[in-house]
Amino acid sequence: MILEVEDLHTYIGEFHILQGVSLKVPSGSVTVILGRNGAGKTTTLRSIMGLIPHRKGKITFEGRSIERLPAHRVAQLGVGYVPEDQGIFTCLTVEENLRLAMRNGTSGKLLEKVLDLFPDLRVALRKKAGNLSGGQRQMLALGRALVTGSRLLLVDEPSKGLAPVMVERVAGAISQIKKEITIVLVEQNFRLAKAVGDYYSIIDDGRTVVSGKMGELVENHELLERYLGVKQAAR
Ligand SMILES: Nc1ncnc2c1ncn2[C@@H]1O[C@H](COP(=O)(O)OP(=O)(O)OP(=O)(O)O)[C@@H](O)[C@H]1O
Ligand SMILES: [Mg+2]
């Protein structure tokens, strides 16, 4: 397991938001965290990343405890994070965005590899990131995380606000990069989740309620309707 989270509890102010989140992420997989609005998906990623302190629970990355480490240390150890707002600099060019994300000592080869994965970015290298389409921005955000050389990537709802055709492109991009990096993906778009996911974990009311192989969830209509409100038509 590249990442293990055990019985995570996080408070925001006085609110007990996460009340027992557990997650096991095998290396080389895409694990999708599913759950309704407000279930605690983003809070889970932020807690793992060290952006909000958790009050209880264990977090292990590559066999080493990353609890209580500040976010920049977690990032240095090899965990990338693509927040919902993507965290890109709209007034800088695509190339500047990528170069800023590169660590000291990151080789130009890694940048070339990322540009091979996302030809859209190569074409737009000198464009301002603010002029990219929603789908291209999402690719830039993923590209920025990849050029750091991270081995685990946490991605929050990359499909949000994108047209269906762009969601397909993002699904394609994630399928491409999963050969390079282990991914934990928060996603409410079940089409995208099932297209790219190997494993799933459902969070409800701040708790992990069920986890397993994506192939099994697709068949489990009761679970889909109970926790995700996925109706026949959306499958
Ligand atoms: N700053 C905050 N202050 C108080 N409550 C918060 C704060 N941030 C989040 N919450 C609450 O924590 C719960 C979990 O929020 P979180 O953002 O993790 O959910 P989510 O599963 O990512 O939802 P969404 O699908 O809408 O992105 C929600 O009930 C939310 O209202
Ligand atoms: Mg969220």
Side-chain angles (χ1 to χ4, degrees), residues 14 26 30 39 53 60 65 108 116 125 133 150-151 166 171 207:
E14 74 222 54
V30 176
T60 316
S65 168
D116 286 344
L125 270 179
S133 71
S150 297
R151 295 177 301 286
M166 276 302 153
R207 289 184 183 84

Side-chain angles (χ1 to χ4, degrees), residues 143-155:
R144 275 176 56 88
L146 286 175
V147 294
T148 63
S150 297
R151 295 177 301 286
L152 172 68
L153 189 54
L154 312 177
V155 188

